[in-house]
Amino acid sequence: SDSSKEMEVDVEQSPVSSPVKQNGMVVEVAGPCVIQYKDKKNREKDKKVKNDCYCWICHHTGKMLCCERCPRVFHIKCVPLNDEPDEDWVCPCCAHVEECKKQGDKSKCCRTNLAKMLPHALDRMSSSGTEAFQQPVTTDVAPNYFDFVNYPMDMGTLRQKAKAGVWTCTQNFLDETRWILHNCIIFNGGKSRLTALARTVYNVCQHEMLEINLCPDCFLNSCTADKDWFTRPCKKQHRLVWAKLRGFPFWPAKVLQRQGQQIDVRFFGQHERAWVHESNTLDISEEPPAGNRNKESGSNRTGAEEEMNRYIDHLKKANKWPIDASKIKEERDEDEED
């Protein structure tokens, strides 16, 4: 067996021909990796782009269905499909990319904006302990790494692609980031310390992509050194409300999204987030209930109101005040359709 302090792996035999022993445990495998093609043309294509041998969903080997546009492979039951497709098949990841290309600049995050935002997301993904994922794995560190991994990925490569404007949508970037986790599971096993760190990286990436989708301008503004970033207007109109949490007075906030009667708000002042029921909010044009202040929150509330007023001043200069309620409703309907 071969092991290294960086990769923490104990692999005895090739995964495409026999079971793999990882971290002292035998990983379930369904047998030899068999890639299914519909015609000779795709067999020739695979000589140039080597397909993975592990299911993108469950990370096990077996009889695989090959995506015609990327290295990903899937068990038919994991897609899930009831039967083998009769024609060339495109995986869900690639299908989503094609949909984003059709939308072009109409999508929430066009290619140009993503090139600006993704480096900031990668900074937040690069927490302490992620050093093993910052650069490509080499055979000096893991001599047999490429016996198992056909499509290596690391955050340094992601960063280069991000700056080059490769991705057309956040889901595309998230799917590419998932290769780090997928490869780590394949090579190190599901219970490895490095795999746990890879999951953390992927989870942070999911969070950052959700934030970008929610409001690209808010995300980009929050990444600047401008202390007054929260007062900068966004292209997306944010409803302003007085929102109340249990034990606290009504507080000025921006509405980011809603799900049914629950509203996701970000408060002025400390910029904290919370879900609040619709019944615990008032439009900012209304006065908060009498006796809303108390000694402990008075000064903080005053600072929050001052920040809100600066935000409103910026809206007025941009001819976005008063807020067009019909436009907010239109954007809300679009979000619900998404």
Side-chain angles (χ1 to χ4, degrees):
S1 65
D2 183 85
S3 61
S4 74
K5 62 179 181 180
E6 284 293 326
M7 303 313 296
E8 296 182 346
V9 64
D10 180 14
V11 179
E12 293 187 339
Q13 299 183 57
S14 170
V16 298
S17 60
S18 60
V20 184
K21 192 173 183 181
Q22 297 177 341
N23 298 328
M25 298 179 64
V26 175
V27 178
E28 274 186 63
V29 292
C33 174
V34 180
I35 306 297
Q36 298 189 171
Y37 298 97
K38 297 303 174 186
D39 55 47
K40 183 177 179 180
K41 177 183 69 175
N42 292 317
R43 289 193 187 93
E44 294 300 318
K45 182 199 74 170
D46 190 45
K47 292 179 180 179
K48 297 180 180 179
V49 180
K50 190 176 182 182
N51 286 97
D52 195 17
C53 283
Y54 295 87
C55 176
W56 184 246
I57 304 299
C58 71
H59 315 294
H60 292 165
T61 61
K63 188 177 181 180
M64 298 292 177
L65 181 63
C66 173
C67 176
E68 306 299 343
R69 297 184 185 177
C70 77
R72 298 178 183 89
V73 296
F74 299 75
H75 293 122
I76 292 176
K77 66 179 181 180
C78 290
V79 175
L81 293 173
N82 293 326
D83 300 300
E84 296 179 16
D86 295 327
E87 300 177 350
D88 289 350
W89 180 76
V90 177
C91 74
C93 299
C94 291
H96 189 89
V97 171
E98 288 303 311
E99 185 61 31
C100 287
K101 287 180 179 179
K102 291 178 183 178
Q103 292 183 19
D105 289 342
K106 294 180 180 179
S107 63
K108 290 183 179 179
C109 301
C110 67
R111 190 191 301 263
T112 303
N113 288 336
L114 278 177
K116 297 177 182 177
M117 291 182 281
L118 292 180
H120 295 292
L122 282 160
D123 288 341
R124 294 172 179 175
M125 292 159 58
S126 301
S127 60
S128 176
T130 62
E131 292 79 11
F133 310 121
Q134 295 300 325
Q135 300 296 329
V137 177
T138 66
T139 52
D140 291 335
V141 174
N144 61 341
Y145 187 72
F146 296 101
D147 293 339
F148 301 91
V149 174
N150 291 329
Y151 191 82
M153 185 52 60
D154 61 276
M155 284 194 275
T157 301
L158 290 173
R159 195 176 293 276
Q160 291 176 359
K161 290 186 175 183
K163 291 180 179 179
V166 170
W167 293 293
T168 55
C169 62
T170 53
Q171 185 61 46
N172 190 191
F173 176 75
L174 184 63
D175 290 337
E176 197 77 353
T177 300
R178 190 179 174 189
W179 279 106
I180 295 176
L181 173 59
H182 177 74
N183 293 338
C184 201
I185 292 173
I186 298 309
F187 193 70
N188 296 298
K191 296 183 179 180
S192 163
R193 177 185 64 86
L194 280 177
T195 299
L197 288 170
R199 284 197 177 93
T200 299
V201 169
Y202 181 72
N203 290 339
V204 172
C205 184
Q206 281 185 308
H207 173 78
E208 296 302 311
M209 296 307 102
L210 287 172
E211 291 297 295
I212 290 175
N213 287 338
L214 200 56
C215 180
D217 291 323
C218 278
F219 179 87
L220 200 53
N221 289 338
S222 70
C223 296
T224 67
D226 184 1
K227 294 182 180 179
D228 218 24
W229 68 269
F230 199 59
T231 69
R232 307 303 176 193
C234 304
K235 293 178 182 177
K236 174 182 178 179
Q237 292 273 31
H238 292 292
R239 177 187 167 200
L240 296 184
V241 297
W242 298 103
K244 189 179 189 314
L245 295 174
R246 179 177 295 180
F248 294 89
F250 278 89
W251 210 272
K254 291 181 188 179
V255 173
L256 301 181
Q257 62 178 324
R258 65 177 298 151
Q259 295 181 6
Q261 296 299 308
Q262 295 292 326
I263 299 177
D264 181 13
V265 300
R266 176 173 274 159
F267 293 101
F268 285 94
Q270 298 298 318
H271 310 149
E272 295 171 333
R273 294 271 290 277
W275 285 92
V276 182
H277 193 273
E278 176 77 44
S279 62
N280 290 324
T281 65
L282 295 169
D283 283 329
I284 215 70
S285 58
E286 303 177 50
E287 287 295 324
N292 190 46
R293 297 181 184 274
N294 58 51
K295 293 181 179 180
E296 294 182 359
S297 65
S299 60
N300 291 334
R301 236 288 292 274
T302 299
E305 289 182 15
E306 289 174 351
E307 185 178 50
M308 177 190 67
N309 289 331
R310 292 197 300 276
Y311 176 65
I312 293 175
D313 287 340
H314 286 137
L315 289 176
K316 289 178 179 178
K317 291 178 182 178
N319 295 319
K320 293 184 176 182
W321 184 265
I323 294 173
D324 188 343
S326 63
K327 188 171 183 179
I328 291 178
K329 183 180 185 303
E330 179 182 345
E331 290 182 347
R332 179 194 307 170
D333 293 342
E334 289 177 356
D335 288 343
E336 289 175 353
E337 287 176 5
D338 291 344

